[in-house]
Coordinates of all heavy atoms in Angstrom, one line a residue:
D51 N 6.0 -6.8 -15.5 CA 5.2 -5.7 -15.6 C 3.8 -6.2 -16.1 O 3.7 -7.1 -16.8 CB 5.8 -4.7 -16.7 CG 4.9 -3.6 -17.0 OD1 4.9 -2.6 -16.3 OD2 4.2 -3.7 -18.1
L52 N 2.7 -5.6 -15.5 CA 1.4 -6.0 -15.8 C 1.1 -6.1 -17.3 O 0.6 -7.1 -17.8 CB 0.4 -5.2 -15.2 CG 0.3 -5.1 -13.6 CD1 -0.8 -4.3 -13.1 CD2 0.3 -6.5 -13.0
T53 N 1.4 -5.0 -18.0 CA 1.1 -4.9 -19.4 C 1.9 -6.0 -20.2 O 1.3 -6.6 -21.1 CB 1.4 -3.5 -20.0 OG1 0.7 -2.6 -19.2 CG2 1.0 -3.4 -21.4
D54 N 3.2 -6.1 -19.8 CA 4.0 -7.1 -20.5 C 3.5 -8.5 -20.3 O 3.4 -9.3 -21.2 CB 5.4 -7.1 -20.0 CG 6.2 -5.8 -20.5 OD1 5.7 -5.1 -21.4 OD2 7.3 -5.5 -19.9
Y55 N 3.0 -8.8 -19.0 CA 2.5 -10.1 -18.7 C 1.2 -10.3 -19.6 O 1.1 -11.4 -20.2 CB 2.1 -10.2 -17.3 CG 1.6 -11.6 -16.9 CD1 2.4 -12.6 -16.6 CD2 0.2 -11.8 -16.9 CE1 1.9 -13.9 -16.3 CE2 -0.3 -13.1 -16.7 CZ 0.6 -14.1 -16.3 OH 0.1 -15.3 -16.1
L56 N 0.3 -9.4 -19.6 CA -0.9 -9.5 -20.3 C -0.7 -9.7 -21.8 O -1.4 -10.5 -22.5 CB -1.9 -8.4 -20.1 CG -2.4 -8.3 -18.6 CD1 -3.1 -6.9 -18.5 CD2 -3.3 -9.4 -18.3
Q57 N 0.3 -9.0 -22.4 CA 0.6 -9.0 -23.8 C 1.3 -10.3 -24.2 O 1.1 -10.8 -25.3 CB 1.5 -7.8 -24.1 CG 1.6 -7.6 -25.6 CD 2.2 -6.2 -25.8 OE1 2.1 -5.3 -25.0 NE2 2.8 -6.0 -27.0
N58 N 2.1 -10.9 -23.3 CA 3.0 -12.0 -23.7 C 2.6 -13.4 -23.2 O 3.3 -14.3 -23.4 CB 4.4 -11.7 -23.3 CG 5.0 -10.5 -23.9 OD1 4.8 -10.3 -25.1 ND2 5.6 -9.6 -23.2
N59 N 1.4 -13.5 -22.6 CA 1.0 -14.7 -22.0 C -0.4 -15.1 -22.5 O -1.2 -14.2 -22.8 CB 1.0 -14.7 -20.5 CG 2.5 -14.7 -20.0 OD1 3.1 -15.8 -19.8 ND2 2.9 -13.5 -19.7
D60 N -0.7 -16.4 -22.6 CA -2.0 -16.9 -22.9 C -2.9 -16.5 -21.6 O -2.4 -16.8 -20.5 CB -2.1 -18.4 -23.2 CG -1.4 -18.7 -24.5 OD1 -1.4 -17.9 -25.4 OD2 -0.9 -19.8 -24.6
L61 N -4.0 -16.1 -21.8 CA -5.0 -15.7 -20.7 C -6.2 -16.5 -20.8 O -6.8 -16.6 -21.8 CB -5.3 -14.1 -20.9 CG -4.2 -13.2 -20.9 CD1 -4.7 -11.8 -21.1 CD2 -3.2 -13.3 -19.7
N62 N -6.4 -17.2 -19.7 CA -7.6 -18.0 -19.5 C -8.1 -18.0 -18.1 O -7.9 -19.0 -17.4 CB -7.3 -19.4 -20.0 CG -8.7 -20.2 -20.2 OD1 -9.7 -19.7 -20.3 ND2 -8.5 -21.5 -20.2
Y63 N -8.6 -16.8 -17.7 CA -9.0 -16.7 -16.3 C -10.5 -16.3 -16.2 O -11.1 -15.7 -17.1 CB -8.2 -15.5 -15.7 CG -6.7 -15.7 -15.7 CD1 -5.9 -15.2 -16.7 CD2 -6.1 -16.6 -14.8 CE1 -4.5 -15.4 -16.7 CE2 -4.8 -16.8 -14.8 CZ -3.9 -16.3 -15.7 OH -2.6 -16.5 -15.8
D64 N -11.0 -16.6 -15.0 CA -12.4 -16.3 -14.7 C -12.5 -15.0 -14.1 O -13.5 -14.3 -14.2 CB -13.1 -17.3 -13.8 CG -13.1 -18.7 -14.4 OD1 -13.5 -18.9 -15.5 OD2 -12.8 -19.7 -13.7
L65 N -11.5 -14.6 -13.4 CA -11.5 -13.3 -12.6 C -10.1 -12.7 -12.8 O -9.1 -13.3 -12.5 CB -11.8 -13.5 -11.2 CG -11.7 -12.4 -10.2 CD1 -12.7 -11.2 -10.6 CD2 -11.9 -12.8 -8.8
F66 N -10.1 -11.4 -13.1 CA -8.9 -10.6 -13.0 C -9.1 -9.6 -11.9 O -10.2 -8.9 -11.9 CB -8.7 -9.8 -14.3 CG -8.3 -10.6 -15.5 CD1 -9.4 -11.3 -16.3 CD2 -7.1 -10.8 -16.0 CE1 -9.1 -12.0 -17.4 CE2 -6.7 -11.6 -17.1 CZ -7.8 -12.2 -17.8
I67 N -8.2 -9.4 -11.0 CA -8.5 -8.5 -9.9 C -7.2 -7.6 -9.7 O -6.1 -8.1 -9.8 CB -8.8 -9.3 -8.6 CG1 -9.3 -8.3 -7.5 CG2 -7.7 -10.2 -8.1 CD1 -10.1 -8.9 -6.5
A68 N -7.4 -6.4 -9.5 CA -6.4 -5.4 -9.3 C -6.8 -4.4 -8.2 O -7.5 -3.5 -8.4 CB -6.1 -4.7 -10.6
T69 N -6.3 -4.7 -7.0 CA -6.6 -3.9 -5.9 C -5.4 -3.0 -5.5 O -4.4 -3.5 -5.4 CB -7.0 -4.7 -4.6 OG1 -6.0 -5.6 -4.3 CG2 -8.4 -5.4 -4.8
D70 N -5.7 -1.7 -5.4 CA -4.7 -0.7 -5.1 C -3.5 -0.8 -6.1 O -2.3 -0.7 -5.6 CB -4.2 -0.9 -3.7 CG -3.7 0.4 -3.1 OD1 -4.1 1.5 -3.5 OD2 -2.9 0.3 -2.2
V71 N -3.8 -1.0 -7.4 CA -2.8 -1.2 -8.3 C -2.8 -0.1 -9.4 O -1.8 0.5 -9.8 CB -2.9 -2.6 -9.1 CG1 -1.8 -2.7 -10.2 CG2 -2.6 -3.7 -8.1
F72 N -4.0 0.2 -9.9 CA -4.2 1.2 -10.9 C -3.8 2.6 -10.5 O -3.6 3.5 -11.4 CB -5.6 1.2 -11.4 CG -5.9 -0.1 -12.3 CD1 -7.2 -0.4 -12.6 CD2 -4.9 -1.0 -12.7 CE1 -7.6 -1.6 -13.3 CE2 -5.3 -2.1 -13.4 CZ -6.6 -2.4 -13.7
I73 N -3.6 2.8 -9.3 CA -3.1 4.1 -8.8 C -1.6 4.4 -9.2 O -1.2 5.5 -9.2 CB -3.2 4.3 -7.3 CG1 -2.3 3.2 -6.5 CG2 -4.6 4.2 -6.8 CD1 -2.2 3.4 -5.1
Y74 N -1.0 3.3 -9.7 CA 0.4 3.4 -10.2 C 0.5 3.5 -11.7 O 1.5 3.6 -12.3 CB 1.3 2.3 -9.6 CG 1.3 2.3 -8.1 CD1 0.7 1.3 -7.4 CD2 1.9 3.3 -7.4 CE1 0.7 1.3 -6.0 CE2 2.0 3.3 -6.1 CZ 1.4 2.3 -5.4 OH 1.3 2.3 -4.0
I75 N -0.7 3.4 -12.3 CA -0.7 3.4 -13.8 C -1.7 4.5 -14.2 O -2.9 4.6 -13.7 CB -1.3 2.1 -14.3 CG1 -0.4 0.9 -13.8 CG2 -1.4 2.0 -15.9 CD1 -1.0 -0.5 -14.0
G76 N -1.3 5.3 -15.1 CA -2.2 6.4 -15.6 C -3.2 5.9 -16.6 O -4.4 5.7 -16.2
D77 N -2.8 5.7 -17.8 CA -3.7 5.3 -18.9 C -3.9 3.8 -18.8 O -3.0 3.0 -18.9 CB -3.0 5.7 -20.2 CG -3.9 5.3 -21.4 OD1 -5.0 4.8 -21.2 OD2 -3.5 5.5 -22.6
L78 N -5.2 3.4 -18.6 CA -5.5 2.0 -18.4 C -6.0 1.3 -19.6 O -6.4 0.1 -19.6 CB -6.6 1.9 -17.3 CG -6.2 2.4 -15.9 CD1 -7.5 2.3 -15.0 CD2 -5.0 1.7 -15.3
S79 N -6.1 2.1 -20.8 CA -6.7 1.6 -22.0 C -6.0 0.3 -22.5 O -6.6 -0.6 -22.9 CB -6.6 2.6 -23.1 OG -5.4 3.1 -23.4
K80 N -4.6 0.2 -22.4 CA -4.0 -1.0 -22.9 C -4.3 -2.2 -22.1 O -4.5 -3.3 -22.6 CB -2.5 -0.8 -23.0 CG -1.7 -1.9 -23.7 CD -0.4 -1.5 -24.1 CE 0.2 -2.5 -25.1 NZ 1.5 -2.1 -25.6
I81 N -4.4 -2.0 -20.8 CA -4.7 -3.1 -19.9 C -6.1 -3.6 -20.1 O -6.4 -4.8 -20.2 CB -4.5 -2.7 -18.4 CG1 -3.0 -2.6 -18.1 CG2 -5.2 -3.7 -17.4 CD1 -2.7 -1.9 -16.7
F82 N -7.1 -2.7 -20.3 CA -8.5 -3.1 -20.5 C -8.6 -3.8 -21.9 O -9.2 -4.8 -22.0 CB -9.4 -1.8 -20.6 CG -10.0 -1.4 -19.3 CD1 -9.2 -1.1 -18.2 CD2 -11.3 -1.3 -19.2 CE1 -9.8 -0.7 -17.0 CE2 -11.9 -1.0 -18.0 CZ -11.2 -0.7 -16.9
S83 N -7.8 -3.3 -22.9 CA -7.8 -4.0 -24.2 C -7.2 -5.3 -24.2 O -7.8 -6.3 -24.7 CB -7.0 -3.0 -25.1 OG -6.9 -3.7 -26.4
L84 N -6.1 -5.5 -23.5 CA -5.4 -6.9 -23.5 C -6.3 -7.8 -22.8 O -6.4 -9.0 -23.2 CB -4.1 -6.7 -22.9 CG -3.0 -6.0 -23.7 CD1 -1.7 -5.7 -22.9 CD2 -2.6 -6.9 -24.9
I85 N -6.8 -7.5 -21.6 CA -7.7 -8.4 -20.9 C -8.9 -8.9 -21.7 O -9.2 -10.0 -21.8 CB -8.1 -7.8 -19.5 CG1 -6.9 -7.7 -18.6 CG2 -9.2 -8.7 -18.9 CD1 -7.2 -6.9 -17.3
R86 N -9.5 -7.9 -22.3 CA -10.7 -8.2 -23.1 C -10.5 -9.0 -24.4 O -11.2 -9.9 -24.7 CB -11.4 -6.8 -23.5 CG -12.7 -7.0 -24.2 CD -13.8 -7.6 -23.4 NE -15.0 -7.7 -24.1 CZ -15.5 -8.8 -24.7 NH1 -14.8 -9.8 -24.9 NH2 -16.6 -8.7 -25.3
T87 N -9.4 -8.7 -25.1 CA -9.1 -9.4 -26.4 C -8.3 -10.6 -26.2 O -8.5 -11.5 -27.1 CB -8.4 -8.4 -27.3 OG1 -7.1 -8.0 -26.8 CG2 -9.2 -7.1 -27.7
K88 N -7.5 -10.8 -25.2 CA -6.7 -12.0 -25.1 C -7.2 -13.1 -24.3 O -6.9 -14.2 -24.4 CB -5.3 -11.6 -24.6 CG -4.6 -10.8 -25.7 CD -3.1 -10.8 -25.4 CE -2.6 -12.2 -25.5 NZ -1.2 -12.3 -25.1
N89 N -8.2 -12.8 -23.4 CA -8.8 -13.8 -22.5 C -9.6 -14.8 -23.4 O -10.4 -14.4 -24.2 CB -9.5 -13.3 -21.3 CG -9.6 -14.2 -20.2 OD1 -8.6 -14.8 -19.7 ND2 -10.9 -14.5 -19.7
K90 N -9.5 -16.1 -23.1 CA -10.1 -17.1 -24.0 C -11.6 -17.2 -23.7 O -12.3 -17.9 -24.5 CB -9.4 -18.4 -23.8 CG -8.0 -18.4 -24.3 CD -7.3 -19.7 -24.2 CE -5.9 -19.6 -24.8 NZ -5.1 -20.8 -24.6
S91 N -12.1 -16.7 -22.6 CA -13.5 -16.9 -22.3 C -14.1 -15.6 -21.6 O -13.3 -14.7 -21.2 CB -13.7 -18.2 -21.4 OG -13.0 -18.0 -20.2
S92 N -15.4 -15.6 -21.3 CA -15.9 -14.5 -20.5 C -15.4 -14.6 -19.1 O -14.9 -15.7 -18.6 CB -17.5 -14.6 -20.4 OG -18.0 -15.5 -21.2
A93 N -15.3 -13.4 -18.5 CA -14.7 -13.3 -17.2 C -15.2 -12.1 -16.5 O -16.0 -11.3 -17.0 CB -13.2 -13.3 -17.3
T94 N -14.7 -11.8 -15.3 CA -15.0 -10.6 -14.5 C -13.6 -9.9 -14.3 O -12.6 -10.5 -14.0 CB -15.6 -11.0 -13.1 OG1 -16.8 -11.7 -13.4 CG2 -15.9 -9.9 -12.3
L95 N -13.8 -8.6 -14.3 CA -12.6 -7.7 -14.0 C -13.1 -6.9 -12.8 O -14.0 -6.2 -12.8 CB -12.3 -6.8 -15.2 CG -11.2 -5.6 -14.9 CD1 -9.9 -6.2 -14.4 CD2 -11.1 -4.7 -16.1
A96 N -12.3 -7.1 -11.6 CA -12.6 -6.4 -10.4 C -11.4 -5.6 -10.1 O -10.3 -6.0 -10.2 CB -12.9 -7.4 -9.3
F97 N -11.6 -4.3 -9.7 CA -10.5 -3.4 -9.4 C -11.0 -2.2 -8.6 O -12.1 -1.9 -8.5 CB -9.8 -2.9 -10.7 CG -10.6 -2.1 -11.6 CD1 -10.7 -0.8 -11.5 CD2 -11.4 -2.7 -12.5 CE1 -11.4 0.0 -12.4 CE2 -12.1 -1.9 -13.4 CZ -12.1 -0.6 -13.3
S98 N -10.0 -1.6 -8.0 CA -10.2 -0.3 -7.2 C -9.4 0.8 -7.9 O -8.4 0.5 -8.5 CB -9.8 -0.5 -5.8 OG -8.4 -0.8 -5.7
T99 N -9.9 2.0 -7.7 CA -9.1 3.2 -8.1 C -9.1 4.2 -7.0 O -10.0 4.1 -6.1 CB -9.8 3.9 -9.4 OG1 -11.0 4.3 -9.0 CG2 -9.9 2.9 -10.6
E100 N -8.2 5.2 -7.1 CA -8.5 6.4 -6.3 C -9.4 7.2 -7.2 O -9.1 7.3 -8.4 CB -7.2 7.1 -6.0 CG -6.4 6.5 -4.9 CD -5.3 7.4 -4.4 OE1 -5.2 8.5 -4.7 OE2 -4.4 6.8 -3.6

Side-chain angles (χ1 to χ4, degrees):
D51 172 81
L52 298 183
T53 305
D54 291 344
Y55 181 88
L56 294 170
Q57 192 165 338
N58 298 316
N59 288 278
D60 290 331
L61 306 178
N62 192 19
Y63 300 99
D64 299 315
L65 173 65
F66 293 82
I67 190 157
T69 53
D70 207 29
V71 175
F72 290 165
I73 61 171
Y74 301 109
I75 303 168
D77 182 3
L78 302 175
S79 59
K80 191 161 189 175
I81 290 172
F82 270 61
S83 174
L84 288 168
I85 289 172
R86 180 67 175 97
T87 59
K88 290 199 64 189
N89 202 53
K90 293 180 180 174
S91 61
S92 345
T94 299
L95 171 60
F97 61 92
S98 63
T99 63
E100 281 192 11

